[in-house]
Amino acid sequence: MEYNILLVDLSYILSRNIYSISNWKKAGEYTERDVAKSVFQTLSKLFKDYKISASKIIFLSDSWSKEYSGYYRTFLIKDLIEYKGDRRLSQEEESISYMNEIKMKSKEFIINNFGKFGIPTIKQEGWEADDLAWLSTNLLYDITPGKNLLITKDSDWKYLLSPRMDY
């Protein structure tokens, strides 16, 4: 299938690839560069194995806001969120903590470097990728002929479909 633009949920693809790497490498044995390489390979696999082609790939990324101490939606419900405080982590939790650290470093690496290869990242302070996907669906409906594609596992994005946006 040929698409104009692939809008890729950066958080999803990072989580997916870090999880995959962590199944065969232990915490400390992989870096953000390993994750970035696997993300690039995943994009290549989309084209090769799933016969998807596109004029442009764009990552959509959540972006933390200083003003809201997180995301705008989280700010709105902050009184409903519990904080667990300082505690010692189990070995499994240490592995998860490492995965989260690598995810943040990988995200920064991809944002700073993939644009040099024509794969930019769109982010807006305080916005979640869901918000950007909604805006993109609406904007692309009027300005691009043909189809575009959302790539995520987030089922909420199914509500963003249009005659010009697939999931």
Side-chain angles (χ1 to χ4, degrees):
M1 181 75 175
E2 188 169 327
Y3 291 99
N4 291 318
I5 299 174
L6 302 184
L7 297 170
V8 181
D9 181 350
L10 183 56
S11 182
Y12 161 67
I13 201 166
L14 284 173
S15 296
R16 174 197 177 280
N17 287 39
I18 290 169
Y19 178 77
S20 176
I21 291 170
S22 71
N23 282 326
W24 53 279
K25 287 189 174 186
K26 295 178 183 172
E29 293 181 348
Y30 58 95
T31 69
E32 64 273 11
R33 289 177 183 267
D34 296 317
V35 175
K37 180 180 175 182
S38 74
V39 166
F40 199 79
Q41 290 168 335
T42 298
L43 294 175
S44 177
K45 188 176 180 76
L46 282 173
F47 292 109
K48 182 179 157 212
D49 295 354
Y50 294 99
K51 309 293 187 234
I52 292 174
S53 64
S55 300
K56 190 74 177 165
I57 300 171
I58 300 172
F59 288 118
L60 300 180
S61 177
D62 299 338
S63 182
W64 196 83
S65 167
K66 289 179 188 174
E67 180 181 355
Y68 301 117
S69 297
Y71 306 114
Y72 181 67
R73 285 188 210 172
T74 306
F75 173 76
L76 293 175
I77 61 169
K78 69 181 180 219
D79 294 333
L80 303 175
I81 298 171
E82 290 184 35
Y83 180 68
K84 294 186 179 189
D86 198 22
R87 57 188 173 96
R88 184 160 163 66
L89 298 177
S90 69
Q91 187 174 6
E92 182 180 337
E93 289 172 321
E94 284 180 14
S95 178
I96 291 169
S97 179
Y98 180 77
M99 289 169 65
N100 286 333
E101 177 185 337
I102 289 297
K103 184 177 179 181
M104 289 187 318
K105 287 180 179 179
S106 300
K107 180 179 175 181
E108 184 178 335
F109 183 86
I110 288 170
I111 289 170
N112 292 333
N113 292 288
F114 275 42
K116 297 171 187 172
F117 299 102
I119 306 174
T121 300
I122 297 175
K123 61 181 186 159
Q124 173 62 43
E125 191 173 295
W127 284 39
E128 296 180 65
D130 304 47
D131 302 318
L132 295 169
W134 172 84
L135 181 61
S136 298
T137 295
N138 287 288
L139 291 174
L140 290 172
Y141 185 83
D142 287 333
I143 63 173
T144 61
K147 292 269 196 171
N148 303 290
L149 179 65
L150 298 171
I151 299 177
T152 185
K153 193 174 181 177
D154 188 336
S155 61
D156 289 346
W157 287 30
K158 289 179 182 177
Y159 295 103
L160 306 175
L161 302 181
S162 77
R164 294 200 180 140
M165 186 65 75
D166 288 346
Y167 173 86

